[in-house]
Each structure stands twice: as structure tokens, then as C-alpha cells.
Amino acid sequence: MDRRSFLVASSILGSSLVWTGQKRANAQVGFSSDTPNLFKIFQEPSSEYRPFVRWWWNGNKVNKAEILRELKLLKEAGIGGVEINPISFPSRADDMGIKSLRWLSDEWIDLVQYAAEQAKNLGMTADLIVGSGWPFGSEDLSEDETAQVVLVYAEEIEGPTTYKVKPFHFFSAIDPGVTDKNALRNPELLAVKLAKNPIASLADVSDLSDQMGKERMDIEVPEGKHVLYALVKFNAFAAVINGAPGAAGSILNHMDREAVNRYLHRMSDTMQQRIGPLKNYLRALFTDSMELEGSNWTTDFAAEFQKRCGYDLMPYLPFILFKVGRLGAVVDEQYGAEKTEAFAETLRRVRFDYEFTKACMLKERFTDTYLRWCRDLGVKSRAQAYGRGFFPLESSLDYDIPEGESWTTNYLRHKLGEEMSNEDYRRGRGYTMIDKYVSSAAHLKGKRVVSCEEMTNTYLVFNATLELLKRGSDQSVMAGITHSVWHGFNYSPKEAPFPGWIQYGSYYSEKNNWWPYFNYLNDYKARLSSQLQNGDYFADIAILPANYDLWANHGVQTDPFPEKLNVPYTSLLWEAINKNGGSADYITEIILADCTVSDGKLCYGKRKYAVLFLPGVVSMAASSLEKIYQFVQDGGRVYCIDRLPEKGLGLKGLEGEDTAVKKWVSKLAAFPERFMRLDKPADDDFLTWYTEIAATHGLPAYLQIETPNSYLMQIRYLRDDGSELFFFQNAHRYDLHATNVTFAEGITKGRICWVWDLENGQRYRLNLENGRSTCLELGPTESLMLVFDTHRKGKKWKPTPAAGLATQNLNTNWEVVLQHQQESSKRTIELKELIDFKEREDLVHFSGTAIYRKYVRIENAAAYALNLGRVEGIADVYVNGKQVGVKWFGRRLFDLSNVLKTGDNLLEIHVVTTMGNYLKTLTDNEIAQFWVNRKGREQEIQSMGMIGPVTLYKF
């Protein structure tokens, strides 16, 4: 695919609210009689809406009896499907002598068939990962099918001197820094060059090809400072990470179409010859994130580059490569000789051509091949179509189910709900930066199922709570995710020594204290997904990130955690739009090339954008600016943040492209009200900044939020039945947020506002002030779904208040029964004052259910409510032996109106705790110690118990 042909292919706020909403109202003229009953789906969501789990078949040590037992466990917990994921056996676990099955062996295939059939019998869905681990490969690959990497070695030398060196010196100095080294890696010297230091042009570089092939090189270095460069290619340079037997070994060359085809068909042919069509068993074939360990080469890369870009890459290659480490991450951008600014600019342009060519080849040779294979098999394609070197948005466009990922915490060890950094866009977010690219691709293609490797957990394995999982996965929804795949469920026999076989994950296990309550989270997620997947995410603002500048200046990064960004505030921009009552998608220049312009909007499929942001974009194709000119001329608005585009893309852009870019920018200056540059906020407070510019420039919004807050987010979905859905989240762990919100007139006109309760599946009428406004009050981690439709009859929304009259303070004199789950022990203590268990030496390592008991006297039974205050754990409340309800997130508020009696009443508060504090005491348990006391990743002591203040009051 030729790169250039590919590219070518306030009162003010109030008025914008009316405008944005009215367009939608006018568009909804009616709906088909076969439109599904969305409320019925909401009440009883079917399995495809329920969360799935990544089901790690640890070491492929699996059998039928245990497969069926675990499927039934998952079904009972409210899980809708499994992603069968063979993986290496956890190194610290006891395999109890159970043998491993080899990937693609008859026994293994039979068990995949059995698992899929049993899942279907239980009303569940089965997906299957391609290969094992990531990125996929096999022990059976030939060397020419394995992934390749080209690395550069640079050494400063001062002449005059004769420098003597053997090729082994280069090979050992740049032995690839990968996660799992491959014993089969095979180096080949591609080039040796001697460059002046600094370098002003290629004329300052001497080619030492005459030295190649010698056992020892004798290099004559002239007087002055020089740098010796060696370019080394490694075949089979890295091994599959966590590959199961048969699918471990070398990583596949994803840039070799024939190798990809052979690998995929070997898998499908072997399986189908044994059990028949895979479509009879599997919904989708899945590919994990394309973390190719820095693979950047294939045998014909140089020839392809010459064909696509029109010049020879090889003279430039040693100078555009950086020194890299694990995953291909750059560790030194200044490696090698100094460069003059003119030569550095040339190298930036060549580097863009190189990265773009690589991305095109990965799309054509891997992505397109994979998609065709799935279509031919009659199964859906599902993938995390990103990693290193792939287009971050375009690679997800054509997958049936594009997938992103969220994290409980990451290598930053950030804390969800306790921080929302402006300085670092990653901190405090459950979603990763890639999720917005993945969901935008889905929106552009009209796809409604956007899955997520949900709440990836490699740190907080025994300390993840249902509340944390909700908080982070709700954040994923704000980024456009519509379906969760929990990370992950470990295949672990019931007889495995505690805590079982653990690869990663939030300890989704029947041995977890909160497992009996896991279905509450899954029911909540199922109801939410059932509605998100039956509507279209609304956005009328587009953001075009400066990724091409990133590639040119710093090279491609490892998504979803790029090591470096040239414009680190891009995520802050879409968040600020969201937190001010609007919504945005990402687009790219490739998408822009396929957009049409109509009625002042950029149109792509059904998507229509009235505003385009260019955050920090410096380089851009002239054809893209021509399209932007058409958009602005037709009434669209473009806001360039911090700077205007000023140059073209690639080496050919040095001449004609640069001139054309400047010409189009000059022509756009004729529309100063619709094409302008905005200074970014000096303190990176984009939330406040956007609030101000939205009012100043009348930017589109469908919702006015009186008091925007860093933790308050919202989304809007347009549904097939003509209704509209809004979902709000307060992502703060401890703080409540209340604000007035006003909906655009076009949203509310002729419609009733309903609360669709995600906890119980019921709906309640919400009366809006002046027909458009309400006070939105969300406690910590709480969320709210509102639906605007024409349904008329129903109960009024009456949430349980947090305070009231005739208040009794219940903070003292509790009897507490401590039921230790892992030790199967029980003891009773008296608490004169409520306390955080971590503050008492005899309670800090408790794990299980603490039952708080207390009698309260009621003189006149009436409408009473109970507020437990702060509770660290799940609260299951009983009054006089009758269960009142369970609260596993947010404010622990309980309506006791129908259960209290006049006289004495027994309150029982069952608080289910986390396990991590207890596991710290298991010093002889290697698995426990690895996850809670590992050096550098020691888990903090967790708060536990009912901390209060606890109040009982009339309302």
C-alpha cells in the first residue's frame, strides 16, 4: 500500500445545548416494529451481554471433569462466556503431577471441543485465543518464519587509529533485550559504517562493506571524532511470553504474509480435521495485544520501502534507529553521533516513512490475512489490534470485535479513585490510552460490541475488591467500551493447594472471600452492556492526535503504555470535553481522507463531526489540510492547540509537500473564526481550560454540568427505539459529588426521564426541574443510568437519603463475630468503638466475614434508613434475621422502612473483607508471598471492616 495514496484515499453554552440536542430529536422520526424491547433486555440480559472471563488453561493441564466444574462455577456467578486461553504453567504452583497437553494435539483439541460444547449447553459462549501467550508463535516454526529485529550498535572512536574488532563484539553488545530470550536467536551483520561526529549529511559517512565477512575487522579511523556503527539483524530474536507447550518457542514474523497464513491454517486445519468446523463451537478467534518485542524487520523490508517511498532506506537506517530495550522501548534517543539540525530533520522524515511503511505492511500482511482467515472459517475476529508498530486506530477498524484493555493498577502503581493527574495522563485511570482509539474505530464502522481485557491485574491479585473492579470498568465505559472480559479466571483444580494455580488476575476463584457476591457485579455489568450494545455512542467532536509527529520524532511506542508521547495531553483533551457535557472520537489522516464534507460537518459513515481539534500537530499531509479547508469553508470549525501545522510528511515532504502545507494553512487563515490556534493551559488543567473555551467559542455540548469535576464523567447513547441513554459515574473512591445538570431541549422535549436501576433491573420516573434539569448526586464509585423515552407509567425515583431526622448514632458497643474463611475459625470480640481493622494488631490480618451485631430500640416504627458510613468490604445487612440488602460499592445506605418493628431490633452487618493482609502472614506459601510481599511490589496493608460513622434516622 503506497503511503501517499493511502493518505489521499453559559448563554452560549445553553444555546449549544439546544442545538446539539435538537438535531437528534429531529432525526428520530420513528422506529421499526421489530426493534427489541430494551427494557425487557435490561431486566433479563442474555449471556452475550454478561461479562466473559479470560480462562487461563494453566500449562494445558486440563481434564473434562474440572472443565465442567469450572464452567458451572462461572455460570452460577453470572459469567456469560469464556475465552479459552492456554498459557504456561505458573512457576511457583504445584502441578500435582498432572501432565500437560500439547497445543494442537488430539487430546487438547478434544478438550477445546468439550469445553465449547459444555459452555453452549450452559447457555454460555466460547472464544479461543490463537496460539498461546503473546505474541503468538510456536516451537515448530522454521527460522525464516520467525520474527526479525534490526538493532544498531554505536561506539565513539577518536582517530587517527586502527580499530580492530570481531563481529561477535557487536552481536554480544546488542543482544536483544526481550522478555523471554530465544536460544535460537541468530545474528547477521547487515552494515558497518564509520561516521564523523557530528554528522551533517550522509557525505560524512563511510561505508565499510569491504570489512564485512572477515573474522576480524581492521578499520582505519582518520583524525578526529568518529562513531562506528554496526547494523545487526537477529532472526528468532525473542520467544513467546508465557507460551503453553506446543505454542511456546519463537515468535512468528507478523510481517510475512505467507508465514502468517501457514501458521493460522495449520491451527484451523489441524483442529477442523479432528472436530469439524470451528464455527460450530466458537464465537470468535482472539488475538492478544501485538507486543512484538520490538520486531521491526522482514526479509523484503528494504525492497518494499524502496517501492513505496521511492528511495533507498539502507543508507539512513543506522541513524534513524535508537538504542532500545525490552519490548523495543527506546532507552536512548541521543545514541550515536551528534547530528546537525538539518540532518536530524532529514532523519525525522525518513523515520516517519520507515514507521509508516512498517504499519502498512503489518496491516496488509498480518491484520488483513487474519481477518480473511476468520471470515473463511465463519467465526468472528476479535483482537487487541495494537502493540508496537501497528496503526493505533486503523488496525481495529475491520475486526468484528475490537478490544481494548483496562488495569486495576499498572507499573506506575497508581490508585484508582484517589488521583486524577494532569501531569501524567495515565494516573488514576482504569482505562488505558488505547481504549479511545479502539472504540473510535468501532464507532466509525458502526460496531457496537467493543470488548475489553477488563481490569488487568498483575499487582493487586488478592486485594482487588468488587468496588475497585466496578470503578475501573465504569471508567472503561466512558472510553467507549461496551463489553467486559475479566482478567482472568485461572484453571485450578479444587484440590490444588491454597491459593491454587495463579497466573495473574484479581483472584476470581471460589476460594476468594467475595466470590459468593461476584454475581452482583456481573449482573450490574450485564444490564449496562445490554443497553450500550443496543445503541450508538454519540460524539460530534473529532480529535486528530499528532501520532505521525510522534513516529517521526520518537519512533513508534508500545501501546497501551507508550514510553514517551510528544503530546501527552491528548487524553486530557477528550476527558475535558466529556467532563463538560460533550463527547469526542479520535480520527486520523487516513480517516480524514475518506470523510466527506456536508452541512459544515466531517462525515464518515454515520458519524458527523462539527468540530475538529488538532492537538500539537506539526506535520500533516497537504491533502489532509485540503480536506480541512473544505470542512472550514463549509462551516466547520478547527482548533489547533499550541501550534499550527507547518510541514509535510516524509522525506519527499522536504520540498513540494512543505510548500503545499504552508499554502493551505495560509488559505485557512481567511477563516479566523473557524480556524484558530489556542494556547494550551500552562498547568495542564484541561478541565478548567475547556470549560472556559467551550463557553467562549460556543462549542457543542448536549449537557450542561454546573460544577465539572475531575472524577465525574458521562456518556450519551442514541438507541434504535428513538430513546436516549445517559450514563454518569463518580470515580472518586471516597468523595461524593453533587452538581446540577441540564439536558439539551432536543433531548427532553416530548420525553420522560427514567432512572434505570443497574442494581435491581427496575426503572423509576425522575421529574426534571423545568423539564430539563436535575441535581445529580453521586457518592463514591456510584453511577447512574438515565433513559429518555416516551414511556409514561411507573414509580417515582426515591433514592434512600444519606441523612434524616431523629438520628441515632451507632458507633459504639458492637459485638463482632469474626469468621475466618481460610482458617475455618470463629471468635467473638467486643468493639467499644468502630475501627479500621488495619489499626489493630489482632485484627489487621483477618480474612473472611466480620458480623457486627447490635440491638437498637425503635419507639415508633416508621420510614427509617441506615447509613453505615465508610465500609471497607461488602456490606450484607440483616434486621431481625431478615436480609435487607447488599451494598458492594458506593454509600452503604439501606432503607429499613419495612423491616424495623417497634421495640428492640437486632442489626447484623456482615462485612466481607479482602485477603491480602492475611496472605502476608503465610511466609511459607511461595505463591502468597510472590503476590503480596514481592520485592518492589509489596502490597500495602489494606483497610477492612465497618469504620462508620453509622447512623439510623427517619426520612
Side-chain angles (χ1 to χ4, degrees), residues 54 83 286-289 291 382-387 392 396 399 401-407 430-442 449-456 476-477 479-487 559-561:
R54 176 163 295 176
E83 171 203 302
F286 170 67
T287 300
D288 209 339
S289 54
E291 300 167 26
R382 174 177 150 238
Q384 297 172 7
Y386 50 84
S396 291
Y399 281 94
I401 307 173
E403 180 162 298
E405 59 189 90
S406 63
W407 283 66
Y431 49 75
T432 57
M433 50 74 63
I434 201 65
D435 290 352
K436 195 65 179 176
Y437 287 98
V438 172
S439 67
S440 295
V449 182
V450 187
S451 63
C452 183
E453 176 189 302
E454 196 76 274
M455 300 310 287
T456 303
S476 295
V477 170
I481 298 300
T482 66
H483 189 234
S484 297
V485 181
W486 297 122
H487 178 277
D559 296 330
F561 296 118

Side-chain angles (χ1 to χ4, degrees), residues 250-322:
S250 300
I251 295 171
L252 178 71
N253 184 350
H254 286 55
M255 280 188 278
D256 183 335
R257 182 185 289 110
E258 287 70 31
V260 171
N261 236 334
R262 284 194 295 271
Y263 183 94
L264 297 177
H265 280 91
R266 178 192 168 213
M267 177 179 171
S268 57
D269 291 351
T270 303
M271 295 187 73
Q272 292 191 141
Q273 286 167 9
R274 178 74 178 174
I275 61 175
L278 291 179
K279 65 182 180 182
N280 294 342
Y281 310 102
L282 304 173
R283 177 193 70 157
L285 286 160
F286 170 67
T287 300
D288 209 339
S289 54
M290 315 291 184
E291 300 167 26
L292 301 184
E293 291 284 336
S295 177
N296 62 3
W297 199 253
T298 193
T299 303
D300 66 340
F301 193 97
E304 280 294 318
F305 185 94
Q306 175 86 48
K307 181 167 51 176
R308 296 164 189 253
C309 298
Y311 65 95
D312 187 0
L313 169 67
M314 297 311 291
Y316 297 99
L317 188 57
F319 312 111
I320 66 169
L321 296 177
F322 299 122

Side-chain angles (χ1 to χ4, degrees), residues 482-630:
T482 66
H483 189 234
S484 297
V485 181
W486 297 122
H487 178 277
F489 185 82
N490 285 282
Y491 179 101
S492 181
K494 193 174 184 179
E495 303 77 21
F498 179 81
W501 297 352
I502 299 176
Q503 189 65 242
Y504 302 112
S506 295
Y507 199 50
Y508 299 99
S509 165
E510 73 273 24
K511 297 176 183 179
N512 196 319
N513 297 348
W514 50 246
W515 183 263
Y517 298 90
F518 187 29
N519 63 300
Y520 284 86
L521 172 60
N522 291 322
D523 288 349
Y524 168 91
K525 294 297 298 181
R527 294 186 186 106
L528 181 55
S529 289
S530 75
Q531 302 308 297
L532 300 178
Q533 292 181 33
N534 280 286
D536 294 314
Y537 181 103
F538 179 88
D540 55 1
I541 297 173
I543 300 170
L544 196 159
N547 289 328
Y548 290 167
D549 289 319
L550 173 67
W551 291 5
N553 295 333
H554 308 294
V556 296
Q557 306 293 301
T558 301
D559 296 330
F561 296 118
E563 302 85 31
K564 188 171 186 177
L565 291 178
N566 56 324
V567 184
Y569 59 80
T570 304
S571 290
L572 301 180
L573 176 58
W574 80 257
E575 288 178 354
I577 295 169
N578 176 292
K579 294 169 186 179
N580 277 280
S583 189
D585 282 333
Y586 285 166
I587 66 168
T588 67
E589 292 193 55
I590 293 171
I591 297 298
L592 185 62
D594 288 335
C595 284
T596 59
V597 175
S598 177
D599 193 26
K601 295 182 177 60
L602 284 172
C603 305
Y604 187 100
K606 294 182 179 180
R607 308 304 280 180
K608 296 181 179 181
Y609 307 107
V611 171
L612 172 64
F613 279 97
L614 302 179
V617 174
V618 177
S619 307
M620 179 171 271
S623 58
S624 297
L625 280 161
E626 182 179 6
K627 179 64 64 68
I628 288 173
Y629 179 81
Q630 296 170 13

